[in-house]
Amino acid sequence: MADVGELLMSVLSTIRVPKPGDRVHKDECALSFSSPESEGGLYVCMNSFLGLGSQYVDRHHARTGQKAYLHITRTRKAKEDDGNSGSGHPPKKKPTRLAIGIEGGFDVEQEQYEEDVKVVILPDRQEVTSEDLATMPDVVRERVSLSMAGIMAADSVSHTLQVQQWDGEVRQESKHAADLKQLDNGVKIPPSGWRCEVCDLQENIWMNLTDGKVLCGRRYFDGSGGNNHALLHYQETGYPLAVKLGTITPDGADVYSYDEDDMVLDSKLPEHLAHFGIDMMTMEKTERTMTELEIAVNQRVGEWEVIQESGTTLRPLFGPGLTGMKNLGNSCYLNSVMQVLFTIPDFQSKYVSNIDKIIDEAPSDPTQDFKTQVAKLGYGLLSGDYSKPVPDPGEENGAAEPRGDQIGIAPQMFKALVGRGHPEFSTNRQQDAQEFLLHFINMVERNCRSGSNPSEAFRFLVEERIVCQQTQKAKYTQRVDYIVQLPVPMDQATNTEELQEAERRREEGDSSAPTVRAQIPFTACMAALSEPEILTDFWSSAVQAKTTATKTTRFASFPDHLVIQIKKFTFGLDWVPKKLDVSIDVPDTLDLSGLRATGQQPGEELLPEVAPPPLMTPDVEVKAPVLDDSTVSQLCEMGFPLEACRKAVYYTGNTGIDAAMNWTMSHMDDPDFSAPLVLPGCSSGPGTTPTESLSEEHLATIVSMGFSRDQATKALRATSNVLDRAVDWIFSHLDDLESMDVSEGGRSAAESEGGRDPPPGPRVRDGPGKYELFAFISHMGTSTMCGHYVAHIKKDQQWVIFNDQKVCASEKPPKDLGYLYFYRRVAE
């Protein structure tokens, strides 16, 4: 061991002991999805603590000169018998708690491994075990042993990112519980046989703890549940707490606070129940609790069976382009989107075809490099290296049929990087797949300022034509977009009679009434998209006053790949978010040629470019009005941009949340919807941002989209240096930009050789508007903030379902229940 000891002595100064705050990557390679369980194990640099697979450690050594690596290998142990015989372990229990990783919750299986650790010296890969260290000089033994122990004891970065525990049942004490007012009205509630006092429904029955009224609960998104009579009673009386009858036991019950809009604890529940003659200690449970209902939903309900094709035995698929992705805890939205994106040639060529070049040019910490991590993910999905059945140590020689689960890949580094700094995508909560798609496209835009930009595959121009109905003069604007949002006209359902009959039976308390899904023709959705919109509050520059106008939206260009979002998520009359349970006959082929924009028509007059008069208060002295902060806050909590909320309150004259919400919903598509509100009497406003304070990063992003630096500067100045608003502004002011007396590089027209060329516009691809469906993402659940996402992708004329780690041949792709649809242009 003398030679190895001398080698260790020579590199001792490069061997570090991890300190608090050091990022130790001991579970995953920074450049691939190799792990200690992979063939060849994982090599951890004992200086930078970067993890590297066997195929990349030599490259890292050659590039950095680092020689000492900790080699970690893990071998899976055979599982013990889960049955009642043999080992004596009880079978797995069904979840009884809405939680992950805690007693009674959904199980997070922890695999058992045998681990082997040794030091490896490159380039010859000489190995040093703990036993070998014992024979070496003290200075070598102590430093190396401390480094080994520190690396193994440190929490790996991936471990800290994983969901270990989540408890959805933690409830807070209601603020109303301690001093709840209870009426002495003589009401006594029997121990069983409850019915809604309004509709006679016998299920989902709640008792108000103030007056003892027994009423049915809320109606669920699919039409089941109750008829909202308990909620309506609260809205009429303001009595805040209700208990679900049938869930009362000596241990507690389901208590809901309408005022706090959540399930709550009531420490005085026995006293509150006794007021109405209910002895909590003698009650037995006869109804499922709200938690049990949610757990049942998380396991299987209605559309879940159809979308996941759980009624049939699906054939597992393995190989290149058929790699599953592990769910990191509500990461199915990310998994589904990335599976689809890496079937698109632009993303494959940008990140996978030249992965060796990307890795060679990666920075010293590739875990924080966008291009490297996207390439790593793309190669992991397309190579087939990880598309193999999960090995079962209990089966010898692989004799058994392959199971559906794959080894797959866990996109932990990728998720951490793309979510960093984002208030939602940095969490482990469920998210909207459409919002994540746009977030990722925005990151691609920012990181592709030179070279090819794969997000151009989705980018297209929209033309908006507004016609003043009083003068018939028109105004044309263009904006860039990446997704077509398709409205769902519920009044066009083809099975109206069935829907009405099911509704009637539910209202009569018929618990056997079937759940009927609205059948909406796709042609009706397209008609709703293309029909003119009436603008009743349009300021016409031709008549210098407000009048009525029509707005028509058309495609100014057709992208190579078209994304269609079905607008299933909306607000009810009470502004509570809900999901429309609809079936739409989405076609396999699509021809949008009839929606091509035509521009200004022959003989058509344009509205004069005159700015509207400044908004004034009724006072003689011009001063800024005071906005109702509470209404602004309520709108913001619904997810609308702050400036849009301020505008809504201002333009509706502080008349309340309903008027402001109506204004917001009718102006969401305005190009300046989220642009800053400039109040009369205020000196600051758009255009006052000095050039020196503009973000160079924002300028570079806009320039990379095909505009000059001067145009980017003007856009950022007009929108207070907010990138998203600047991009919207620049596409809605193309005519203004064309009149700018500057060209690329900042020279005036007179200084430019040959005069001023037309300023560059957005880089968009264009072609025929004929498409074929190649993928769709479906959502299961009541809102985008919960539930589950699954992707179906057409591979070699065969539909394939990507359900996290499971990849199978699809037997009945539920194309009518999708949320996001992906089309590619048909070559003519």
Side-chain angles (χ1 to χ4, degrees), residues 88-211:
H89 291 293
K92 290 182 182 178
K93 295 180 180 179
K94 288 186 176 180
T96 59
R97 187 173 182 82
L98 192 64
I100 295 173
I102 66 176
E103 180 64 29
F106 288 87
D107 186 30
V108 179
E109 292 189 8
Q110 298 296 327
E111 298 284 0
Q112 300 297 315
Y113 294 96
E114 293 178 351
E115 196 166 59
D116 182 59
V117 180
K118 60 175 72 77
V119 176
V120 172
I121 308 297
L122 265 65
D124 297 327
R125 300 206 182 194
Q126 292 169 280
E127 298 180 351
V128 182
T129 65
S130 298
E131 292 76 14
D132 297 330
L133 282 175
T135 66
M136 295 184 182
D138 291 347
V139 65
V140 174
R141 183 179 66 253
E142 290 178 7
R143 169 67 70 87
V144 177
S145 297
L146 283 173
S147 179
M148 291 176 66
I151 291 172
M152 297 309 297
D155 277 340
S156 68
V157 174
S158 61
H159 176 82
T160 61
L161 296 173
Q162 287 176 336
V163 173
Q164 294 303 313
Q165 280 192 4
W166 171 74
D167 194 344
E169 289 185 51
V170 176
R171 297 176 182 175
Q172 304 298 321
E173 177 78 6
S174 171
K175 64 184 181 182
H176 302 289
D179 302 311
L180 183 70
K181 177 184 177 182
Q182 290 191 287
L183 304 183
D184 292 322
N185 53 10
V187 171
K188 298 298 176 185
I189 305 299
S192 61
W194 311 291
R195 292 174 180 268
C196 174
E197 297 179 17
V198 177
C199 68
D200 275 350
L201 198 66
Q202 299 180 57
E203 295 180 346
N204 193 18
I205 302 301
W206 297 74
M207 182 191 77
N208 191 285
L209 287 172
T210 295
D211 61 4

Side-chain angles (χ1 to χ4, degrees), residues 337-353 382 437 441 453-458 560-563 765 774-775 793-795 822-824:
V337 169
M338 299 314 298
Q339 289 281 14
V340 174
L341 290 185
F342 274 107
T343 64
I344 296 173
D346 294 81
F347 285 88
Q348 294 176 356
S349 60
K350 175 72 176 182
Y351 295 109
V352 181
S353 299
L382 299 180
L437 173 60
I441 287 175
N453 182 348
S455 67
E456 290 179 10
F458 299 120
D560 288 350
H561 292 78
L562 182 73
V563 186
R765 305 171 188 175
F774 74 93
I793 304 174
K794 205 170 189 178
K795 302 259 186 179
F822 295 79
Y823 286 84
R824 58 185 162 222

Side-chain angles (χ1 to χ4, degrees), residues 587-609:
D588 288 319
T589 59
L590 196 59
D591 188 351
L592 301 179
S593 304
L595 296 180
R596 167 79 73 172
T598 56
Q600 184 178 356
Q601 301 299 297
E604 183 179 53
E605 289 188 59
L606 298 180
L607 285 165
E609 291 292 334

Side-chain angles (χ1 to χ4, degrees), residues 180-182 189 206-215 230 233-234 237-243 245 258 272 276:
L180 183 70
K181 177 184 177 182
Q182 290 191 287
I189 305 299
W206 297 74
M207 182 191 77
N208 191 285
L209 287 172
T210 295
D211 61 4
K213 281 283 187 181
V214 176
L215 301 163
H233 182 63
Y234 159 72
T237 63
Y239 300 156
L241 299 185
V243 60
L245 298 176
Y258 290 103
H272 293 155
F276 297 107

Side-chain angles (χ1 to χ4, degrees), residues 430-433 435 569 779 781-787 789 819:
Q430 185 62 279
Q431 304 298 335
D432 187 342
E435 290 182 3
F569 300 98
H779 173 268
T782 57
S783 81
T784 54
M785 298 299 107
C786 66
Y789 287 96
Y819 174 48

Side-chain angles (χ1 to χ4, degrees), residues 708-750:
S708 71
R709 184 179 177 87
D710 301 278
Q711 293 167 333
T713 299
K714 183 173 182 179
L716 287 168
R717 282 180 176 175
T719 55
S720 301
N721 201 24
V722 179
L723 178 61
D724 292 342
R725 293 205 292 257
V727 172
D728 289 340
W729 186 93
I730 203 168
F731 283 110
S732 61
H733 291 77
L734 292 178
D735 292 340
D736 296 342
L737 297 178
E738 288 177 2
S739 64
M740 288 178 63
D741 194 28
V742 293
S743 60
E744 186 100 38
R747 294 180 297 169
S748 68

Side-chain angles (χ1 to χ4, degrees), residues 537-588:
D537 203 25
F538 176 73
W539 189 87
S540 171
S541 58
V543 297
Q544 292 289 297
K546 288 185 177 181
T547 184
T548 303
T550 58
K551 183 173 76 171
T552 308
T553 303
R554 292 292 184 267
F555 290 89
S557 68
F558 288 119
D560 288 350
H561 292 78
L562 182 73
V563 186
I564 294 179
Q565 176 196 14
I566 305 295
K567 296 178 70 173
K568 289 187 174 185
F569 300 98
T570 182
F571 290 99
L573 295 176
D574 54 358
W575 300 115
V576 174
K578 68 174 184 178
K579 177 181 175 181
L580 302 177
D581 190 21
V582 295
S583 169
I584 301 176
D585 58 337
V586 176
D588 288 319

